[in-house]
Structure formats: C-alpha cells, structure tokens
Amino acid sequence: MSAVTSRTRSGRTPAGPGAVRPRRSVALVSGVAALALVAAVLAATWVGAVPLPPGGVVATLLDRALAPLGVDVPGGLEGTQAAVLLQLRLPRVVLAVLVGAALAIAGAGYQGVFRNPLADPYLLGAAAGAGLGATLTIAYSPVQSLGPVGIVPLAAFAGALFGVGCALALGTVAGGSHSPTLLLAGIAVAAFLSAAQTLVQQQNTDDLREIYGWMIGQLGSSSWSDVALVLPYLGVSCAVLLCCGRALDVLSVGDDEASSLGVHPGRLRLLVILAASLATASAVAVSGLIGFVGLVVPHIVRRLAGGSYTRVLPLSLLVGGAFLVLADLIARVLLAPAELPIGVVTAFVGAPFFAALLWAGARRR
C-alpha cells in the first residue's frame, strides 16, 4: 500500500521523510522568520550613507501608516532625512523584500515540480530571456522610459516570459509535461538566447558596462514605480503557488499515486511552472539577475520546518525577503561609499552552499 494512503490505527496519515515537525516548532520557526524580516527591514532603513535615527524612522513609518485613521505620531523625521527614507531607502527595501520573496517561492515551486533540490527560478530560460530583452533595449532603444516606468524592466519582463514560453512550447512538442523533457528544453532555449545576447553585446561594446551592471543584479535605482510595476504580478503568482502547496506534497510521492488521489500531475506542473515563471520574470525585470536566492532559501526552510510544501512555500516568502534585504544591506555598506552589486553578495553565499549540497549528496551515495 502507498505511504500516502496507508494509515495508522488512529486514522492519521503518516508523514513523509523530513516532513514531521511538531506544530509548536513550526509556529516558532514562522515567528522567528517574521521577526527576522522585520528586523532586516528596520536595519536596512536605518543604515546607509546617511544614517537615520531608529526612533525617528519608526515614528515616521507609524505616522504614515496611521495617517488614514487620523492618528498623528510625533517624533518623525523631517526635511532631508524624511526624503531619504521615503523616496530613496524605503522603496529599495520594499523592492528587496518583494524580489527576495518572489525568487525564493519560485525556487521552492520549481524544486517541488521537478523533484530536484538543485532546481532554481532560472531553470527554464527566464534569466536568458530577460538578459536578451534588457540587452536589446539598452543597445538599441531610442527611449529610456514609458512614463514613470523604465523601458529596461519592461523589456526584461517580456524577455523572461518569452524564454519560459519557448521552453514550455519546445518541451510540449518534444514530449509533454514530463520533468526531464522540460529541463532539456529549458537548457536548449537558455543556450540559444544567451548566444543571441552575446552577439548583441559584441556589436555594441559601448553599452557593455550598463549591460553588465544589470546582469549581476542591482537595486540602487529602485523607486515606487518599480514596486507598483511588479506588485500585481507577484501577488497573483505567489497566491497561486501558496494554493498549490498540498498538491505538491501529493505529487512528491509520484505521478501514479498523485493521480489516484485526484491530482492531475501534468496540469499541476504547468500551473506551478507558469506561476513561478511569472514571479521570476517580475523579479528579474526590476532587479536584474540575482542568483542563488531561489536555491538557498528553500533548503534553509526545509532544514528548519520540514519538507511539506504547505510550510516551505509560505516560509520561503518570509525568509527570502529577509535574506535579500540583508544581502542588499551588505552590498551598500561593505565598500561604502561605493556599492557592491547585490548579485555578488548572494553568489558569495550561494556558491559555497551549492558546493555543500553536492558534497552532502555525494556522501549519501
């Protein structure tokens, strides 16, 4: 009898390996993750080239939040300090939370669909497509913005969706929604789009610095218009992924067992891939290519809260947001007044983590 359908005498379904966690410990992990996110956000708003008083920052944020209720909170920032907080630092921190959460939950979704712990949000050509879209725009576009929104984020967003769409189309033609077929299709599409991007770069060497700066990830030019651009797409995609948590748990035991329990594996894979790809495209559009977030964060969450996707997905949102806010804070202060690309910071953390995963996997053989 299947491990999913077998039951104990008490009528309870036994959990899979690594999925058993006392309810109290899961609640504790959730609380710690939420506190870590709040602490990271506050630290990132206080620290910078212009230090801001913590009390003034908190008072200003509370005053803005309670203003619709007619509550006036004294002790807030004024003048230049208020402008730095509200127009420069806060949109950057909010965007870092959104991008980190999106990449983390997308990575968890990809790992659940492909049943591969090394899957990441850029698996199906989203990164290559976004890079090609941004490169073409930087090199050839006669305009830099459409209203308040820069044209590079829009082109990167369209390119990421184009790359994933090509991978899905090729995978469907080649063999359907099976994981190995989609993986190979993603590799083929990413290689082709990366080659096209390299060709454009070689023909436009004057723009290499700007293209390279975008490709290694950056949040330095963040604004509220960027937040408004990606928030609707991130909201929809994250909501869909959160609703798929229980179905991904069922899928993890195999396609046949999932089908017998009423889950359609092909439809579930397509839904999760589309939602995760939309989240990835939205994040890449405003931040550039920030690696390893979608790989590292889901593994950290599994170590703390178990392997059930009903817990991994929502906790990845919190931990991913906190992780990228802290990475951005390090990027801002490590070489101050210069600024380190945030992709470099995440790579310094993610590359050793990736190596540790490979080493741990080799030891289990």
Side-chain angles (χ1 to χ4, degrees), residues 6-361:
S6 63
R7 294 178 180 271
T8 64
R9 292 182 180 179
S10 63
R12 296 181 179 178
T13 303
V20 178
R21 285 292 187 279
R23 187 181 301 273
R24 187 174 301 173
S25 68
V26 174
L28 177 61
V29 171
S30 302
V32 171
L35 289 176
L37 176 59
V38 173
V41 168
L42 291 177
T45 54
W46 297 339
V47 179
V50 179
L52 300 178
V57 169
V58 174
T60 301
L61 296 179
L62 289 176
D63 183 63
R64 294 284 174 156
L66 299 176
L69 302 177
V71 178
D72 186 19
V73 180
L77 302 176
E78 297 180 356
T80 303
Q81 288 186 329
V84 169
L85 173 64
L86 299 175
Q87 301 302 322
L88 297 177
R89 201 163 293 172
L90 192 58
R92 178 170 181 161
V93 172
V94 171
L95 196 64
V97 172
L98 294 177
V99 170
L103 293 176
I105 195 173
Y110 274 124
Q111 290 168 15
V113 162
F114 294 110
R115 283 177 271 181
N116 185 341
L118 300 181
D120 76 348
Y122 303 144
L123 196 61
L124 293 183
L132 178 59
T135 300
L136 288 172
T137 303
I138 293 171
Y140 298 120
S141 175
V143 297
Q144 295 299 315
S145 64
L146 295 175
V149 180
I151 196 170
V152 173
L154 295 176
F157 179 73
L161 293 182
F162 174 76
V164 174
C166 290
L168 289 176
L170 179 59
T172 301
V173 171
S177 60
H178 297 293
S179 298
T181 304
L182 288 175
L183 287 173
L184 293 174
I187 293 172
V189 169
F192 180 82
L193 296 179
S194 296
Q197 180 184 356
T198 302
L199 177 62
V200 175
Q201 290 175 349
Q202 292 300 317
Q203 294 177 340
N204 298 271
T205 55
D206 293 340
D207 299 311
L208 281 179
R209 184 178 182 87
E210 184 177 357
I211 294 171
Y212 179 72
W214 183 89
M215 289 181 60
I216 58 178
Q218 47 80 32
L219 293 170
S221 58
S222 305
S223 65
W224 289 115
S225 63
D226 293 325
V227 175
L229 173 66
V230 301
L231 189 58
Y233 303 103
L234 293 182
V236 171
S237 57
C238 291
V240 171
L241 289 172
L242 290 173
C243 291
C244 293
R246 191 170 298 278
L248 285 173
D249 284 339
V250 177
L251 185 65
S252 65
V253 299
D255 287 7
D256 294 337
E257 290 84 352
S259 298
S260 68
L261 294 172
V263 175
H264 193 292
R267 293 175 185 171
L268 177 62
R269 284 196 181 93
L270 181 61
L271 180 61
V272 173
I273 287 172
L274 289 176
S277 299
L278 181 61
T280 303
S282 304
V284 168
V286 293
S287 67
L289 305 181
I290 301 175
F292 292 103
V293 178
L295 176 65
V296 172
V297 171
H299 283 280
I300 294 175
V301 171
R302 288 191 189 92
R303 293 287 182 133
L304 297 176
S308 172
Y309 283 95
T310 57
R311 296 191 290 265
V312 170
L313 292 171
L315 285 174
S316 292
L317 285 173
L318 297 175
V319 178
F323 177 83
L324 198 62
V325 169
L326 291 176
D328 185 51
L329 178 59
I330 294 173
R332 284 195 283 126
V333 303
L334 191 63
L335 299 178
E339 188 170 309
L340 195 65
I342 189 172
V344 174
V345 177
T346 58
F348 269 119
V349 175
F353 189 88
F354 185 82
L357 285 179
L358 295 177
W359 179 72

